Amino acid sequence: MNDELPKSRNVFTSRRSLEERLAHRPDVLARLHELADTLDPSVTDDCTADAAEARVSTQVRPLAQELLGQWPRETEAHPQAQVPQRHPDAIHYGKKKR
């Protein structure tokens, strides 16, 4: 497994914005905004680092679980969507006829 980040020097200039990348996941984008909204007051409330971490981590864990739950469904859906184009004679959802 390759855990390394891309070695491109201009990674940030060629990246789409987070809003563009999450356009098909409005619920995730909304939760990220909620996360930022939780963190912003922590700075002005004279909050300790431990308290800020506790505020944010209660939201990050469920978000991560949700994202990781979406990943297999999206991974499976992509190749399935291509089957009719690549194999127009394939039988849809049924036993093979002999």
Side-chain angles (χ1 to χ4, degrees), residues 91-97:
I91 298 171
H92 300 282
Y93 303 109
K95 284 188 165 184
K96 291 182 180 179
K97 296 179 184 176

Side-chain angles (χ1 to χ4, degrees), residues 22-65:
L22 295 175
H24 68 284
R25 295 182 182 149
D27 53 330
V28 174
L29 185 59
R31 293 200 43 198
L32 287 174
H33 281 291
E34 289 174 14
L35 183 62
D37 292 344
T38 299
L39 187 58
D40 289 344
S42 298
V43 175
T44 58
D45 290 348
D46 293 329
C47 191
T48 65
D50 290 336
E53 179 184 6
R55 287 181 184 181
V56 171
S57 64
T58 58
Q59 292 183 356
V60 169
R61 286 186 185 110
L63 176 61
Q65 290 173 343

